[in-house]
Amino acid sequence: MQVTAMHFKRKAGANLRNEKLQKALEKLQSKFVDGRAVVIAELSDFEGLRDAAAAIRDRVLNNLDGYLQHFEQEATARGAVVHWAETADDVNRIVAEIAAQHGVQRIVKSKSMVTEECGLNDFLESRGLTVLETDLGEYILQLAKEPPSHIVAPVVHKSKEDIADLFEQKHHRPRTTQITELCREAREVLRPGFLAADMGISGGNFIIAETGSVLIVTNEGNGRLSTTLPRVHVAITGIEKVVPTLEDVTTLLRLLPRSATGQSITNYVSVLTGTKGKEDADGPEHFHIVLLDNGRSRLLGTELQPMLRCIRCGACMNHCPVYQNIGGHAYGWVYPGPMGSVLTPAFVGLENALDLPNASTFCGACAVVCPVKIPLPDLLRQLRHEQVKRHLRPWQERAALRLWSWLAQRPAWYALGTRLVVRLLCLFAGSGKRLRHLPGVSGWTNGRDMPAPTGRTFRELYRSGRT
Ligand code: SF4
């Protein structure tokens, strides 16, 4: 997927003015925020569970190579083939080779953000293969030729009317806005695709070291059809998704759906282990697992390592006031919201995503809801620090901060400076006591009035005892 994170401000502005999008984003509150609050309340010790989940993820990250080797041994012993991909291009090449090796022509896919990271669909289609997305949201986006705007609800930016129009245009059937009818229509179109597919591609929410299994959670059943009907199954996931034991996974599973969709458990939890056995009615004859690095190992041992705990639940974006107002496309890559504002610069380079670490009010809601306790505001602050250190911020901003730093270390000059600024602002504001235009901060005053200072500085008020 192309990186367009440098257009963040322009896209965010346009999205704020997009009334249809604003209406669609209202779903976040009722569907995800309120839903999460209800199911979290079912747990007697939610905070204890978060601590346990964070500890599991940290244990893995502190010995990632060991757990990955263990996973490879166990998966291989059960008939799977494990492939190591350093980059997104490696994933594409490996999957194309597997397809060629098994004479594959038609592929069905269940939802996978890692394959979005790699641009896998476009690559395979450029090789003459047919790729059909089977998650309903992803299928809609494939028809619309759009990227996902949310990691759990990829089509959250669309209304049912948008989808009705799209289905009418692409399926050539009578238009309906009934959700059950739209689902039935999609099912009828997708079902022959499952039956004809030679290969199924899935992601992996977790991979389990002790059994060599890939675990996926879905609500639509398309994951099971994609991974068990075709003769070849390829699971693609990031190297950080490894978890030591099934017991550990159950801890994480108590948090993932609750944090993601406000469900105690998803409709389907599939643990996929090895190839089809002699006694099995279903299952793939060939099972390939592709493990992607793509910059993840670079984060190990750095201040950003905690970001690798992420279990992709989406709670941080559902609760983020910035995401709630601009949606996911503004962030310009696969991962939106607070987690994306850390992951995108980390994966594609800070210089290619300059605004993302600043796309935060630092309200802290993301850190409060994150089930694995990732300190997202601290990580964003760390990236901002890095930007300043590498001189990546505009020169005006750096000059202003240098001036402020110089003044802040000289109390007498600071007091004089603030007195002057306050008097000037009062003068600009006039009798209305509101600043409508202020040179240098037009980004603020173009959208709202700024109240003028009351006339005296804090120091003056403090000295006169009127604090
Ligand atoms: S950062 Fe935390 S809240 Fe956000 S998607 Fe990852 S696990 Fe979920």
Side-chain angles (χ1 to χ4, degrees):
M1 184 174 160
Q2 209 191 347
V3 185
T4 56
M6 291 300 271
H7 303 305
F8 175 80
K9 279 187 186 163
R10 185 173 52 75
K11 287 200 211 161
N15 289 357
L16 282 169
R17 291 186 292 274
N18 182 337
E19 282 175 26
K20 259 166 85 174
L21 175 68
Q22 293 300 317
K23 185 89 196 117
L25 290 173
E26 284 172 14
K27 284 178 278 190
L28 289 170
Q29 180 68 37
S30 54
K31 205 165 152 43
F32 295 133
V33 175
D34 298 347
R36 173 188 172 276
V38 170
V39 290
I40 291 300
E42 291 170 355
L43 298 168
S44 57
D45 184 14
F46 176 56
E47 286 308 314
L49 203 55
R50 285 177 82 210
D51 285 334
I56 291 168
R57 299 299 294 132
D58 280 346
R59 182 152 49 95
V60 165
L61 295 174
N62 291 332
N63 184 15
L64 187 58
D65 50 350
Y67 285 113
L68 285 170
Q69 278 168 10
H70 188 189
F71 171 78
E72 183 180 27
Q73 274 166 15
E74 297 301 327
T76 308
R78 290 166 176 81
V81 182
V82 177
H83 305 260
W84 302 93
E86 194 176 335
T87 64
D89 287 346
D90 291 338
V91 167
N92 294 343
R93 178 184 48 77
I94 291 166
V95 178
E97 282 170 8
I98 297 168
Q101 181 192 340
H102 295 292
V104 167
Q105 271 307 314
R106 288 169 298 261
I107 299 172
V108 281
K109 261 187 85 218
S110 73
K111 187 170 157 296
S112 153
M113 298 311 286
V114 165
T115 60
E116 298 285 346
E117 213 178 303
C118 303
L120 181 65
N121 288 12
D122 287 347
F123 181 83
L124 293 176
E125 283 168 358
S126 74
R127 296 285 185 108
L129 298 166
T130 308
V131 184
L132 179 64
E133 292 284 355
T134 63
D135 170 88
L136 181 58
E138 292 286 346
Y139 172 65
I140 291 164
L141 294 178
Q142 189 177 32
L143 289 183
K145 296 192 188 332
E146 285 177 25
S149 67
H150 189 289
I151 61 170
V152 173
V155 76
V156 70
H157 58 284
K158 284 198 181 299
S159 65
K160 67 177 191 298
E161 287 75 20
D162 293 334
I163 296 162
D165 291 343
L166 186 70
F167 277 16
E168 185 188 18
Q169 188 197 346
K170 301 285 180 181
H171 294 161
H172 309 292
R173 294 186 184 193
R175 185 178 187 275
T176 174
T177 51
Q178 294 298 314
I179 291 179
T180 46
E181 290 304 311
L182 288 167
C183 291
R184 186 194 310 276
E185 193 172 314
R187 211 175 286 131
E188 284 169 8
V189 174
L190 290 173
R191 193 56 59 124
F194 287 116
L195 296 172
D198 315 296
M199 177 193 272
I201 295 179
S202 74
N205 293 88
F206 301 108
I207 55 173
I208 303 157
E210 74 170 345
T211 57
S213 313
V214 175
L215 183 144
I216 58 172
V217 293
T218 63
N219 273 318
E220 296 171 18
N222 67 306
R224 288 210 173 157
L225 289 169
S226 301
T227 57
T228 54
L229 276 181
R231 58 194 164 83
V232 185
H233 172 208
V234 182
I236 307 169
T237 193
I239 51 172
E240 82 285 13
K241 293 291 186 70
V242 65
V243 174
T245 63
L246 282 165
E247 185 71 33
D248 291 326
V249 162
T250 59
T251 301
L252 296 168
L253 280 181
R254 296 184 75 199
L255 289 167
L256 175 57
R258 284 187 165 89
S259 305
T261 46
Q263 292 171 285
S264 308
I265 191 76
T266 45
N267 293 345
Y268 302 91
V269 176
S270 306
V271 182
L272 307 159
T273 311
T275 47
K276 179 180 178 179
K278 284 201 186 78
E279 310 294 317
D280 295 337
D282 305 297
E285 292 158 29
H286 308 278
F287 185 17
H288 295 264
I289 303 165
V290 186
L291 300 178
L292 173 67
D293 184 335
N294 209 25
R296 286 158 173 83
S297 59
R298 270 203 313 267
L299 305 188
L300 291 170
T302 71
E303 290 92 343
L304 298 184
Q305 178 172 310
M307 195 60 233
L308 295 175
R309 286 184 208 151
C310 179
I311 57 171
R312 306 289 193 268
C313 70
C316 55
M317 58 200 74
N318 299 340
H319 292 76
C320 173
V322 177
Y323 180 94
Q324 285 170 350
N325 281 283
I326 63 171
H329 286 158
Y331 291 81
W333 201 48
V334 184
Y335 303 109
M339 55 87 86
S341 295
V342 177
L343 279 180
T344 304
F347 286 177
V348 307
L350 195 50
E351 63 284 359
N352 298 316
L354 273 184
D355 288 321
L356 296 192
N358 299 290
S360 167
T361 62
F362 274 0
C363 66
C366 49
V368 171
V369 298
C370 177
V372 284
K373 291 198 151 181
I374 299 174
L376 287 153
D378 293 346
L379 304 187
L380 291 169
R381 198 176 293 112
Q382 178 61 34
L383 288 169
R384 290 184 188 186
H385 181 60
E386 187 68 24
Q387 285 186 335
V388 173
K389 241 175 48 188
R390 288 173 52 192
H391 291 187
L392 293 173
R393 299 301 307 161
W395 69 266
Q396 299 92 328
E397 186 181 308
R398 283 186 284 130
L401 283 173
R402 255 206 302 274
L403 176 66
W404 182 86
S405 160
W406 187 88
L407 277 175
Q409 293 172 64
R410 290 162 181 82
W413 283 97
Y414 188 89
L416 180 68
T418 48
R419 259 206 314 275
L420 270 173
V421 170
V422 163
R423 301 290 182 272
L424 273 174
L425 290 178
C426 287
L427 202 69
F428 279 138
S431 55
K433 300 212 178 302
R434 318 288 298 177
L435 290 152
R436 295 188 195 287
H437 307 288
L438 201 56
V441 288
S442 56
W444 176 273
T445 51
N446 283 350
R448 57 190 81 73
D449 290 347
M450 184 168 150
T454 53
R456 301 176 72 188
T457 68
F458 173 77
R459 284 162 174 256
E460 288 169 332
L461 290 170
Y462 188 78
R463 233 179 266 123
S464 67
R466 289 181 48 216
T467 55

